[in-house]
Amino acid sequence: MGQTGPKFREACIRRPMLHVNPKFVDLRAHSTGRQRLSPQRVLRRLLRSIGAADSEVPNDLDELTAAWRAATSSLRLLLVLDDALGAKQVRPLLPAGPGSKVLVAGRRRLAGLDADRRVSLEPLETGAAVSLLRNIVGEDRADREPEATHELVRLCDGLPLALRIAGTRLQTRPVWTLAYLVDRMAGDEHRLGELSAGGAAWRRPSVCRTTSSRRSSSVDSAHWAWRRPSSSTR
């Protein structure tokens, strides 16, 4: 959805004394052009990040999980897991420290996780989405085409990631008008092609849908879950 960065910064700011060394992992469940990260690969990376030598890092998932929980049993961590596919991918990554917190972001509601708190992130309001797009493409350029600017916001569903990709396309193609990009994005199939850049891509989730009270249509949401490791995970 494109709101992971702000949420990660917010989490770090709110708990600066508790979490000395926050960890961020992009699990790439919906990434294009990049392979999804397996729990084994993530655990090896996390263990190295807290000082484990390569010779001390096992290969088996059960052994990796046990090593991670033993290594984190006395630590207080903030672990942010972005673009999670499901609970099965997340559970082995939970640290064991009673003072640790895990923030999980995914396109689906991760009902299989025992979370302290669940939050659904709605798309940006029209005004905020227009402001984001103006900041990316330039205020003068966007203001010359107010109707096309609002239509582009609508086509991006107010999602920050989609807006950033569309804005970057315009930023790197100064001869394009906003109306030209709007025309190129006509139809979902063409829209998907225009809103892909490198490993990032806009997707319209098929599972996670909520209905906004401000609009008559369904809108996409990103779902976050705070997870405090309990004694049962150690």
Side-chain angles (χ1 to χ4, degrees), residues 133 136-138 141-142 145 148-149 152 163-182 184-185 194:
L133 190 58
I136 298 172
V137 305
R141 188 178 180 187
E145 301 179 79
T149 299
L152 192 55
L163 288 165
R164 290 185 183 280
I165 294 175
T168 299
R169 278 194 174 274
L170 291 166
Q171 193 179 59
T172 57
R173 295 165 175 81
V175 299
W176 282 17
T177 63
L178 275 73
Y180 177 70
L181 181 57
V182 167
R184 288 176 62 97
M185 290 173 59
E194 292 299 326

Side-chain angles (χ1 to χ4, degrees), residues 64-214:
L64 280 165
T65 302
W68 171 242
R69 290 178 179 170
T72 58
S73 60
S74 61
L75 301 179
R76 293 189 298 178
L77 301 173
L78 171 61
L79 177 62
V80 178
L81 302 173
D82 185 30
D83 198 9
L85 182 63
K88 184 178 180 180
Q89 186 185 30
V90 171
R91 284 196 193 96
L93 311 180
L94 299 177
S100 294
K101 286 187 178 295
V102 182
L103 181 61
V104 184
R107 298 188 184 186
R108 305 177 180 181
R109 294 184 183 275
L110 305 178
L113 287 179
D114 180 18
D116 291 345
R117 183 184 178 192
R118 298 180 186 274
V119 179
S120 292
L121 298 180
E122 299 293 340
L124 297 176
E125 294 280 0
T126 299
V130 169
S131 178
L132 174 60
L133 190 58
R134 290 173 76 238
N135 287 336
I136 298 172
V137 305
E139 295 180 0
D140 291 342
R141 188 178 180 187
D143 291 346
R144 285 196 297 268
E145 301 179 79
E147 292 184 5
T149 299
H150 280 78
E151 179 61 12
L152 192 55
V153 165
R154 187 191 69 80
L155 290 171
C156 291
D157 290 333
L159 301 178
L161 176 59
L163 288 165
R164 290 185 183 280
I165 294 175
T168 299
R169 278 194 174 274
L170 291 166
Q171 193 179 59
T172 57
R173 295 165 175 81
V175 299
W176 282 17
T177 63
L178 275 73
Y180 177 70
L181 181 57
V182 167
D183 289 341
R184 288 176 62 97
M185 290 173 59
D188 282 348
E189 182 178 347
H190 293 115
R191 196 184 323 183
L192 179 59
E194 292 299 326
L195 296 180
S196 299
W202 170 88
R203 288 290 187 275
R204 187 186 297 278
S206 58
V207 176
C208 230
R209 308 285 293 184
T210 64
T211 300
S212 170
S213 60
R214 300 181 300 276

Side-chain angles (χ1 to χ4, degrees), residues 5-20 22 78 80 103 226:
K7 282 295 176 183
F8 180 52
R9 290 192 293 272
E10 178 184 349
C12 294
I13 291 171
R14 286 189 176 185
R15 305 172 184 273
M17 299 304 294
L18 179 60
H19 304 288
V20 179
L78 171 61
V80 178
L103 181 61
W226 273 108

